[in-house]
Amino acid sequence: VSKKAFLSFFKTCEKAAPAEDEKAAAKEPPSVAELERVFAKLAEDDKVTKDRLMVLIRVYKKVMKDTVITDGIGIKGSESLRRVEVGEILEILGEPKDEGEVEVKRVQCKAMKDDVEGWVTVSGNQGTVFLADHSGMFKVVKETILTETFELDSDESKEAAKQLKDATPRKLRPGELVDVWLWPKKEEKSGLMRLKLRTRSDGVVGWATAVGNAGTVFLQAV
């Protein structure tokens, strides 16, 4: 989506009418200047991609306590697909629902780590919290570098490597904070979990390895 199309959409799209009790406090629609700032935050190379917009639309939660993901909403009678560990990110696929037999809320979700889909308990009947909202921010816990492409051995990546041969690549230092642009996914050839991000310190956008193929964690969800 170009900047022109982005601004045009907000200018012409249908606006929801405020309820009677909200009319007095109803806010004016965002100004062109405000929309331009939003576009600048979302855009790369003067456009906003579909994948980038979907990151904003989808709902994600962070695993706060180890639990299991099962193939059904019921705790009894469902098959355990695998354990989900603290720090994992899950995409939420529906509204939380009552389990039925036990007083807990369960939600259908997809693990970003390996695309396994199933049901996970949101919170236990004793108040234990298993899932919490995630802002999309990650912290660097082990030094790594940014690259221009997702695949490390693509033609584009090799060409970029040639250009960087005499330059200093952008390193991500431990403790640095970054925002997700595209969520981690596995690079099949290398087995690395890679994500697209934007650094908070200087606004650089690129790809980085979140988890190595031997399990080494480089970027951790905050």
Side-chain angles (χ1 to χ4, degrees):
V1 178
S2 67
K3 182 177 181 180
K4 182 179 179 180
F6 183 84
L7 297 176
S8 177
F9 169 77
F10 281 95
K11 182 179 180 180
T12 59
C13 69
E14 183 178 354
K15 277 68 171 187
E20 285 296 327
D21 58 347
E22 297 177 345
K23 284 185 177 180
K27 295 182 179 180
E28 291 293 323
S31 66
V32 172
E34 290 172 329
L35 290 173
E36 286 179 339
R37 287 197 293 271
V38 172
F39 181 84
K41 186 173 180 61
L42 299 177
E44 181 184 7
D45 297 329
D46 295 322
K47 62 183 179 182
V48 178
T49 65
K50 178 182 177 181
D51 286 339
R52 177 65 177 138
L53 287 174
M54 292 306 293
V55 167
L56 303 178
I57 295 171
R58 290 169 174 160
V59 177
Y60 300 90
K61 288 188 180 290
K62 177 182 176 181
V63 179
M64 305 301 292
K65 185 177 177 61
D66 288 0
T67 184
V68 295
I69 185 168
T70 65
D71 62 356
I73 187 172
I75 295 176
K76 294 181 180 179
S78 294
E79 181 180 346
S80 175
L81 301 177
R82 71 167 177 84
R83 291 193 66 78
V84 288
E85 301 174 340
V86 171
E88 277 197 57
I89 301 298
L90 307 178
E91 179 185 352
I92 305 305
L93 303 179
E95 293 292 327
K97 298 180 179 180
D98 293 326
E99 190 272 348
E101 295 186 20
V102 184
E103 293 183 6
V104 297
K105 291 285 188 179
R106 305 264 288 164
V107 70
Q108 191 173 15
C109 54
K110 179 173 74 172
M112 302 306 295
K113 179 179 178 179
D114 52 13
D115 290 340
V116 170
E117 290 188 21
W119 292 82
V120 171
T121 299
V122 178
S123 58
N125 53 14
Q126 300 299 316
T128 303
V129 176
F130 292 97
L131 303 180
D133 292 339
H134 181 53
S135 64
M137 183 170 67
F138 278 68
K139 181 171 72 173
V140 181
V141 295
K142 187 175 180 62
E143 185 175 296
T144 185
I145 62 171
L146 281 179
T147 64
E148 293 186 359
T149 60
F150 170 67
E151 294 183 340
L152 295 177
D153 64 349
S154 66
D155 292 338
E156 293 86 353
S157 181
K158 291 177 181 177
E159 180 61 31
K162 289 179 182 178
Q163 296 176 8
L164 287 171
K165 189 174 182 180
D166 298 322
T168 302
R170 173 64 164 87
K171 293 182 179 180
L172 296 176
R173 308 284 187 182
E176 189 169 356
L177 298 176
V178 302
D179 292 311
V180 170
W181 275 52
L182 295 178
W183 286 89
K185 56 183 178 178
K186 182 180 286 186
E187 203 276 309
E188 295 298 338
K189 293 180 182 179
S190 64
L192 304 173
M193 292 296 293
R194 307 262 293 157
L195 81 160
K196 194 170 190 179
L197 58 86
R198 183 174 186 172
T199 60
R200 289 201 166 191
S201 59
D202 52 8
V204 176
V205 176
W207 289 90
T209 297
V211 182
N213 53 19
T216 302
V217 176
F218 295 91
L219 297 169
Q220 192 172 68
V222 177

